[in-house]
Amino acid sequence: MAAAVTPSTSSWVRHKITHRTNCSLQTIHYPKQSTIQKPKPPSFTVPSTVKKEKNSKPQWNFIQKAASLALDAVENALTVHELEHPLPKTADPRVQIAGNFSPVPEQPVRQRLPVAGKIPESIQGVYVRNGANPLFEPTAGHHFFDGDGMIHAVQFKDGFASYACRFTETQRLVQERSLGRPVFPKAIGELHGHTGIARLMLFYARGMFGLVDHSRGTGVANAGLAYFNNRLLAMSEDDLPYHVHVTTSGDLETVERYNFDEQLKSTMIAHPKIDPISGELFALSYDVIQKPYLKYFRFSNNGHKSEDVEIPVSEPTMMHDFAITENFVIVPDQQVVFKMSEMIRGGSPVVYDKEKVSRFGVLDKYAKDGSSMKWAEVPDCFCFHLWNAWEEPETDEIVVIGSCMTPPDSIFNECDEELKSVLSEIRLNLKTGNSTRRPIMSEKDQVNLEAGMVNRNKLGRKTSYAYLAIAEPWPKVSGFAKVDLFTGEMNKHFYGDEKYGGEPFFLPRDPNCEAEDDGYILAFVHDEKAWKSELQIVNAMTMKLEAKIKLPSRVPYGFHGTFVSANDLANQA
């Protein structure tokens, strides 16, 4: 398979990009003075499963060909100039996609995988997990979040397991594959400073000449997955979701960029919430350029969209996640904001505003507008993810469970301070507008807990447990913890010597189970010594390993997943 590298890249640039150095986790925190070891170099290859027609070159007229050559020359000169200076580690592909963060090619379905132990009989369906997997080798700055979306799927059927992984066929990926090179700007890795402005201008110039079409979306669909209204949706917050179909054999096929039958006109964040009782989907959309900067909306369980509700915020705010309760939606307005003017000054548009006071807004789920939203200040709080929330009417409080991250912008900007992610209980008093915040675990038990979830059948209601990735030794994920949210007691499962994973996914044994923790944890795990991957299944009640499914190819560390039951698979749209 031929390497998918931009043909016009100079050998010097190619050397800068290809010879990678090792950092074990993608983006969370890179101290300025860190020791970097040599890894196994990742390979960038166009998957052999790609059909020839998908790689066919566009048919351009003379003017378009001339414009393409001129713009390519400008971009190449820009790239050489940019790489004359050291890239920050949060935009350096040698760091961001090294080791098991490097991409893999697509894999067709492999059936009847080897299993150590026994797959629980109740697990029938498909576990899918999203992740960033750049099709083309970066030619300049690249952040792990910038990669093309790839879904990894393990299907369980009658005690056997199969595996496949496929790119989500976003409009961005389809166009770049046709061109044979990356041309869409990398939202985090490239759009900073004056070179970021220049890259934006180049991109829109290509659009003016018809060389690319940005009207059909620019997103990567690499972050979240949700099954709603008989559709598996792949999402990133910079675009509409994509509908992906799971075949009877366990393969994955992209159906379309999904606008809910032309109801959705804006982007949707990658963490929508599905109410386990009503079946409704609740979501947010944010805009970094123009008002309204933030909108809230919902879909009925049969896919009918509500009117947008503008959330009153004074500036564009990083809005990666939010929470719901039985009656309310909880919206964080925190200290990481977007200031596009910082690019003119040579900086990143993602800014930690130390003068801003974080606050959480509480709005009725069925509100017609944002005028009734109640705000409570929560100073010095930045939660990239919120695990759950519920109402406590006896005290007029909303309880929010999240991991409070410091420094808040270390995912995006290089910093010296060691990152901490503290599992916290935040209480919002609806009467007084005040808040309290406390760490759930004692100081001696503190570990960095970041990716994870609660039992989704209890979402928006009081829960006793959260299942969260142990991001230690930072920034690797060595296992996961089952945390009692009331006592702070923590029960840990470690993946094994030199084995690391990502988000633990809790799957209830049965939708009607009485015990909240009656179910299993599914997690992709990679053995960095043997360079092999597996799926571990852990009993959530006993925290004992039930089974390990040996996977036929490497699974890179990634983002979020979901499970689609066998019954839902049979009823896909």
Side-chain angles (χ1 to χ4, degrees):
M1 292 181 288
V5 183
T6 305
S8 54
T9 308
S10 70
S11 59
W12 176 80
V13 173
R14 193 174 290 118
H15 174 84
K16 292 278 286 184
I17 299 297
T18 305
H19 289 74
R20 305 194 181 284
T21 50
N22 185 32
C23 186
S24 54
L25 187 64
Q26 68 266 41
T27 55
I28 304 300
H29 177 69
Y30 298 101
K32 287 185 178 179
Q33 304 298 325
S34 63
T35 301
I36 301 176
Q37 300 175 346
K38 295 278 186 180
K40 298 178 181 180
S43 60
F44 284 80
T45 56
V46 177
S48 59
T49 52
V50 173
K51 296 180 181 179
K52 287 185 178 180
E53 58 266 25
K54 289 184 178 179
N55 286 317
S56 60
K57 291 289 184 180
Q59 300 300 311
W60 290 336
N61 60 36
F62 174 78
I63 294 176
Q64 288 175 312
K65 290 177 181 179
S68 176
L69 288 172
L71 293 171
D72 287 353
V74 172
E75 182 178 23
N76 291 337
L78 181 67
T79 298
V80 171
H81 172 74
E82 185 175 13
L83 293 179
E84 287 175 351
H85 309 281
L87 289 168
K89 292 183 176 66
T90 51
D92 189 341
R94 298 172 302 171
V95 173
Q96 292 290 306
I97 49 175
N100 194 44
F101 290 99
S102 62
V104 295
E106 292 183 315
Q107 294 291 337
V109 180
R110 296 281 295 275
Q111 303 285 356
R112 292 181 174 255
L113 301 177
V115 178
K118 184 180 179 182
I119 298 172
E121 293 180 1
S122 64
I123 302 181
Q124 300 287 330
V126 63
Y127 171 55
V128 283
R129 197 223 65 195
N130 214 341
N133 195 87
L135 174 62
F136 291 103
E137 183 163 10
T139 55
H142 182 93
H143 187 283
F144 184 63
F145 289 1
D146 291 328
D148 297 296
M150 174 175 276
I151 300 174
H152 300 261
V154 175
Q155 185 176 40
F156 301 89
K157 187 184 295 185
D158 302 325
F160 296 102
S162 68
Y163 169 80
C165 66
R166 298 289 187 186
F167 282 107
T168 298
E169 300 280 325
T170 63
Q171 289 295 324
R172 177 190 188 116
L173 181 136
V174 169
Q175 291 186 61
E176 289 191 334
R177 186 167 53 199
S178 175
L179 293 169
R181 54 171 300 207
V183 292
F184 283 65
K186 308 288 181 65
I188 305 174
E190 291 182 341
L191 297 188
H192 47 80
H194 300 145
T195 57
I197 296 173
R199 289 187 183 279
L200 276 177
M201 294 173 65
L202 279 169
F203 178 64
Y204 285 107
R206 287 188 170 108
M208 288 175 59
F209 284 102
L211 306 177
V212 296
D213 180 4
H214 55 74
S215 67
R216 294 179 290 165
T218 61
V220 289
N222 66 14
L225 291 169
Y227 188 80
F228 175 71
N229 196 26
N230 300 326
R231 293 169 176 85
L232 176 63
L233 302 178
M235 300 161 290
S236 57
E237 53 211 53
D238 52 357
D239 205 343
L240 274 63
Y242 277 80
H243 174 197
V244 178
H245 181 80
V246 183
T247 70
T248 55
S249 68
D251 210 343
L252 301 159
E253 298 176 346
T254 304
V255 179
E256 62 179 333
R257 182 171 178 255
Y258 187 57
N259 59 15
F260 293 85
D261 296 327
E262 301 186 357
Q263 297 180 94
L264 184 60
K265 308 295 185 183
S266 61
T267 62
M268 187 173 86
I269 69 168
H271 288 288
K273 308 300 176 186
I274 299 176
D275 189 291
I277 305 301
S278 69
E280 296 167 295
L281 182 144
F282 301 86
L284 298 174
S285 173
Y286 68 84
D287 193 309
V288 302
I289 302 296
Q290 61 186 0
K291 291 185 175 182
Y293 296 127
L294 182 62
K295 298 182 293 187
Y296 158 72
F297 50 90
R298 69 183 189 279
F299 291 92
S300 66
N301 59 10
N302 61 3
H304 180 72
K305 184 179 176 295
S306 71
E307 294 295 321
D308 291 335
V309 175
E310 181 179 348
I311 303 298
V313 293
S314 59
E315 60 186 338
T317 301
M318 167 62 68
M319 195 65 60
H320 184 70
D321 201 1
F322 72 114
I324 61 169
T325 69
E326 187 174 355
N327 296 294
F328 300 102
V329 56
I330 317 301
V331 180
D333 178 20
Q334 302 176 118
Q335 292 172 287
V336 178
V337 299
F338 295 97
K339 294 183 182 291
M340 306 307 289
S341 58
E342 289 298 312
M343 293 179 70
I344 300 174
R345 300 185 181 95
S348 168
V350 183
V351 176
Y352 170 30
D353 185 351
K354 297 180 181 181
E355 302 301 317
K356 181 179 179 179
V357 178
S358 293
R359 58 180 186 164
F360 281 56
V362 180
L363 182 68
D364 188 288
K365 283 160 81 172
Y366 303 100
K368 301 294 185 183
D369 58 55
S371 60
S372 61
M373 175 167 269
K374 298 179 179 179
W375 294 96
E377 291 187 347
V378 188
D380 301 317
C381 174
F382 177 76
C383 294
F384 199 55
H385 293 107
L386 301 177
W387 311 122
N388 199 19
W390 62 80
E391 303 160 27
E392 293 196 351
E394 60 273 17
T395 59
D396 287 312
E397 289 180 315
I398 300 289
V399 178
V400 181
I401 306 297
S403 292
C404 294
M405 185 181 291
T406 56
D409 64 337
S410 56
I411 292 176
F412 307 102
N413 297 317
E414 199 170 4
C415 58
D416 289 318
E417 184 180 348
E418 180 182 1
L419 187 142
K420 293 183 179 180
S421 184
V422 179
L423 182 63
S424 303
E425 177 194 87
I426 302 164
R427 287 181 170 264
L428 312 173
N429 191 298
L430 298 183
K431 278 192 172 180
T432 65
N434 297 326
S435 72
T436 60
R437 175 162 58 100
R438 70 171 184 88
I440 289 176
M441 296 175 300
S442 64
E443 181 65 30
K444 67 179 180 65
D445 293 328
Q446 283 296 334
V447 292
N448 287 317
L449 299 175
E450 195 5 67
M453 63 188 303
V454 299
N455 183 334
R456 288 183 177 174
N457 288 342
K458 307 289 185 181
L459 191 69
R461 283 76 182 168
K462 183 180 289 189
T463 46
S464 298
Y465 303 108
Y467 308 91
L468 302 167
I470 301 172
E472 293 195 356
W474 190 266
K476 293 185 179 182
V477 174
S478 55
F480 68 87
K482 175 186 178 182
V483 183
D484 188 312
L485 299 176
F486 299 104
T487 67
E489 181 182 353
M490 182 168 46
N491 198 341
K492 301 176 183 177
H493 169 81
F494 291 102
Y495 296 133
D497 184 39
E498 293 192 52
K499 291 184 177 182
Y500 302 95
E503 175 189 71
F505 183 86
F506 176 82
L507 177 66
R509 183 178 57 82
D510 183 276
N512 301 313
C513 289
E514 290 187 10
E516 181 187 319
D517 58 349
D518 188 357
Y520 302 94
I521 300 295
L522 281 62
F524 282 114
V525 175
H526 182 66
D527 186 328
E528 295 195 349
K529 184 176 182 180
W531 209 243
K532 294 182 181 298
S533 298
E534 64 191 21
L535 181 75
Q536 293 192 5
I537 303 174
V538 178
N539 187 308
M541 296 187 84
T542 65
M543 294 293 283
K544 301 296 184 183
L545 182 64
E546 297 269 348
K548 292 191 292 186
I549 300 169
K550 304 299 181 181
L551 301 174
S553 58
R554 181 172 62 87
V555 177
Y557 305 131
F559 300 137
H560 307 290
T562 194
F563 192 91
V564 185
S565 70
N567 183 63
D568 285 336
L569 287 175
N571 291 286
Q572 292 178 90

